[in-house]
């Protein structure tokens, strides 16, 4: 019943406007908080879900935090248990909007756009403004990529004194989504 | 202390030091879990696990998160390094899938549960391997 209703609503929605959804289940999100001359603190995730509405540029990503893979197994364990606390906060999300987005502006060349939105991680939400993203359009769909800096303290992540000089507080987050039309 | 005894004591200290070093190294650079060889904590159908997650996400997270699970169902989407069972369980693999299975064939997958994707209403597994 719920599904039928959803489908009807979806068809009405599609009929009313020409906007359509682009989606990926295996987007990549990586972060790095390395400090030179210490062991790298770096992880990547390659099954991030992202949905984008090509009509208005609305954009939503969901990261299941346990899926971040580190080279070092102990670092991965500590990340999950002590920093991200992924048992309590298994999800990280980003919800936002690409500014002045229009499908007509896209082509095979990289185009720069800005995106505003809220990033939620470790149970804390932070507004991010004017993040640069590169967007290209090809036969397969839309590719959205970029990077931004996030601050560990903004998300209430405490870095113990003992390792403070080995982990950067400014964390570079990079992302890459190949969205396909749904 | 005789010369001989001194020598023996320093050998013991050296050996103890080396042992601590080796243990410490093995702790810091321990191997990742090997989901493939781990015994699955749960074995159930794709519909069952996604039902549990959609009805009771928090309880299910406590129950399944980071656990090795075996899930069976039929393939509804098949890609290079991932496949989807019954439209409701997404299985990510570490390496390219090289299988004879095709869309709609029955399959059993072992993987680690990383959570529930509420955008797509799918349970996600990573580090998957094919059981049969």
């Amino acid at each position: 019943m719920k599904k039928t209703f959803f489908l009807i609503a979806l068809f009405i929605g599609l009929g009313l406007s020409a906007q359509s959804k682009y989606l990926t289940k295996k987007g990549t999100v990586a972060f790095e908080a390395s400090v030179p001359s210490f062991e790298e603190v770096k992880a990547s995730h390659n099954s991030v879900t992202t949905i984008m509405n090509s009509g208005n540029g609305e954009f939503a990503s969901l990261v299941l935090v346990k899926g971040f893979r580190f080279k070092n197994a102990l670092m991965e364990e500590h990340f999950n248990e002590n920093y991200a606390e992924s048992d309590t906060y298994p999800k990280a999300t980003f919800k936002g909007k690409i500014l002045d987005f229009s499908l007509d502006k896209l082509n095979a060349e990289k185009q720069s756009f800005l995106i505003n939105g809220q990033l939620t991680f470790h149970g804390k939400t932070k507004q991010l403004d004017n993040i640069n993203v590169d967007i290209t359009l090809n036969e397969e769909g839309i590719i959205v990529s970029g990077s931004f800096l996030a601050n560990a303290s903004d998300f209430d992540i405490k870095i113990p004194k003992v390792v403070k000089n080995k982990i950067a507080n400014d964390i570079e987050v990079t992302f890459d989504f190949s969205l396909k039309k749904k | 202390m005789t010369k001989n005894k001194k020598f023996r004591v320093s050998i013991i200290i050296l050996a103890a030091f080396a042992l601590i070093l080796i243990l410490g190294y093995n702790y810091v650079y321990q191997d990742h879990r090997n989901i493939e060889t781990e015994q699955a904590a749960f074995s159930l159908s794709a519909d069952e696990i996604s039902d549990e997650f959609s009805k009771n996400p928090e309880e299910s997270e406590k129950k399944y998160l980071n656990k090795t699970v075996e899930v069976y169902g039929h393939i509804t989407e098949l890609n290079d390094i991932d496949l989807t069972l019954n439209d409701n369980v997404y299985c990510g693999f570490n390496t390219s899938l090289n299988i004879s299975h095709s869309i709609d064939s029955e399959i059993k997958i072992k993987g680690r549960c990383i959570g529930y994707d509420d955008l797509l209403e799918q349970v996600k597994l990573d580090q998957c391997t094919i059981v049969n």
Side-chain angles (χ1 to χ4, degrees):
Chain A
M1 186 59 207
K2 203 171 127 195
K3 227 172 193 167
T4 347
F5 182 73
F6 174 75
L7 281 176
I8 292 168
L10 187 75
F11 282 126
I12 293 171
L14 285 178
L16 284 176
S17 62
Q19 53 187 234
S20 50
K21 285 213 159 88
Y22 283 79
L23 144 95
T24 182
K25 292 189 214 176
K26 39 186 174 187
T28 310
V29 170
F31 67 83
E32 179 156 11
S34 304
V35 172
S37 84
F38 285 106
E39 192 179 1
E40 60 172 23
V41 181
K42 187 167 121 182
S44 72
H45 194 307
N46 53 22
S47 46
V48 176
T49 301
T50 295
I51 298 179
M52 189 179 105
N53 184 332
S54 63
N56 55 12
E58 275 174 354
F59 190 92
S61 281
L62 176 108
V63 178
L64 296 170
V65 179
K66 293 252 185 234
F68 275 113
R69 303 304 311 277
F70 290 73
K71 209 184 271 172
N72 184 320
L74 188 69
M75 208 186 274
E76 189 171 309
E77 193 183 314
H78 286 171
F79 166 76
N80 280 295
E81 285 176 3
N82 308 332
Y83 298 87
E85 296 181 84
S86 60
D87 283 326
T88 322
Y89 310 105
K91 285 171 196 157
T93 57
F94 178 83
K95 283 195 179 76
K97 197 169 177 181
I98 302 167
L99 305 178
D100 302 320
F101 181 80
S102 159
L103 260 187
D104 307 331
K105 289 185 185 168
L106 302 183
N107 56 43
E109 300 279 319
K110 266 187 189 169
Q111 306 282 328
S112 268
F113 285 87
L114 294 174
I115 185 164
N116 288 352
Q118 284 110 30
L119 177 66
T120 304
F121 181 73
H122 194 238
K124 294 280 170 299
T125 301
K126 176 145 199 285
Q127 175 74 29
L128 298 173
D129 285 321
N130 300 330
I131 296 164
N132 259 306
V133 289
D134 290 326
I135 306 183
T136 51
L137 179 76
N138 62 21
E139 320 76 70
E140 299 212 330
I142 299 175
I143 299 163
V144 180
S145 64
S147 68
F148 59 91
L149 285 179
N151 221 306
S153 46
D154 285 340
F155 296 93
D156 203 17
I157 294 164
K158 291 177 192 78
I159 300 172
K161 273 213 178 80
V162 210
V163 290
K164 199 130 206 167
N165 58 343
K166 295 178 189 156
I167 304 174
N169 191 45
D170 282 333
I171 297 156
E172 193 189 15
V173 183
T174 54
F175 54 89
D176 195 332
F177 306 116
S178 298
L179 304 154
K180 289 191 175 64
K181 195 170 180 172
K182 204 193 171 188
Chain B
M1 227 189 278
T2 62
K3 211 177 178 186
N4 201 3
K5 209 171 178 185
K6 246 186 193 165
F7 180 69
R8 219 182 287 166
V9 168
S10 52
I11 284 286
I12 289 167
I13 290 170
L14 211 68
F17 187 69
L19 189 73
I20 289 165
L21 219 63
I22 290 166
L23 289 177
Y25 183 88
N26 284 343
Y27 174 70
V28 173
Y29 295 102
Q30 57 185 272
D31 284 338
H32 279 278
R33 280 170 72 184
N34 187 345
I35 303 297
E36 190 175 359
T37 54
E38 265 184 41
Q39 190 78 31
F42 300 96
S43 181
L44 69 178
S45 80
D47 289 342
E48 281 165 0
I49 191 167
S50 77
D51 250 25
E52 278 190 50
F53 267 101
S54 63
K55 283 181 187 143
N56 203 341
E58 271 161 37
E59 282 294 305
S60 310
E61 271 165 2
K62 279 200 189 91
K63 185 171 165 191
Y64 293 112
L65 224 54
N66 214 19
K67 297 265 164 53
T68 303
V69 290
E70 272 178 4
V71 179
Y72 47 88
H74 62 271
I75 302 171
T76 48
E77 195 188 323
L78 186 59
N79 294 309
D80 182 36
I81 53 160
D82 65 277
L83 59 82
T84 307
L85 298 177
N86 297 17
D87 280 325
N88 52 28
V89 177
Y90 171 93
C91 310
F93 290 76
N94 285 341
T95 50
S96 246
L97 271 167
N98 204 349
I99 51 168
S100 52
H101 295 74
S102 53
I103 297 281
D104 271 343
S105 57
E106 295 290 319
I107 194 165
K108 192 176 194 180
I109 303 287
K110 181 153 84 173
R112 177 183 68 136
C113 181
I114 59 170
Y116 187 63
D117 178 338
D118 27 27
L119 291 177
L120 299 173
E121 303 185 318
Q122 287 180 341
V123 178
K124 278 197 171 180
L125 309 180
D126 77 350
Q127 302 171 60
C128 289
T129 47
I130 289 156
V131 180
N132 59 42

